[in-house]
Amino acid sequence: MMINRTCEPSASFNSTMKEAAWTQTSRLLEESLRRHLKVTLHLAGAGPEQEIRGFVTVINTYLEEIKFRAEDEWLWIKFSEITSAHT
């Protein structure tokens, strides 16, 4: 089950992320959710790019966000903040 359609970015989504990169990222997010696979996310925000490591616990396609467990904290991260992901 790939989230490329159900989790397709809206018009407000970061336009610099190419479709192929998002497809790869969405597969990795789903893999993390299904197998509790730890991933590293690179996030863009108001400041410099951040890097966090953990695993996905929820994918909310309606609100276009994931719930991410990093260390001892839970974070809600918008799709538009994710610039890349890797294992």
Side-chain angles (χ1 to χ4, degrees):
M1 171 181 144
M2 196 170 113
I3 56 177
N4 66 351
R5 289 286 176 231
T6 57
C7 175
E8 193 166 311
S10 68
S12 65
F13 185 76
N14 183 351
S15 63
T16 60
M17 179 176 263
K18 300 192 186 304
E19 185 176 332
W22 176 248
T23 300
Q24 180 182 11
T25 298
S26 68
R27 284 182 182 153
L28 191 55
L29 296 175
E30 287 179 350
E31 181 95 5
S32 177
L33 176 64
R34 278 196 320 269
R35 296 183 38 217
H36 290 250
L37 175 70
K38 281 199 171 192
V39 295
T40 301
L41 298 181
H42 296 269
L43 306 174
E49 187 174 287
Q50 295 178 334
E51 182 179 288
I52 57 172
R53 184 146 178 85
F55 58 93
V56 177
T57 60
V58 173
I59 297 175
N60 186 328
T61 57
Y62 180 74
L63 295 176
E64 297 184 348
E65 63 187 3
I66 61 170
K67 188 173 184 182
F68 195 75
R69 168 86 189 222
E71 298 290 323
D72 292 330
E73 63 180 326
W74 299 89
L75 306 165
W76 283 100
I77 302 170
K78 294 285 189 188
F79 295 163
S80 60
E81 296 172 354
I82 303 171
T83 58
S84 66
H86 61 85
T87 55

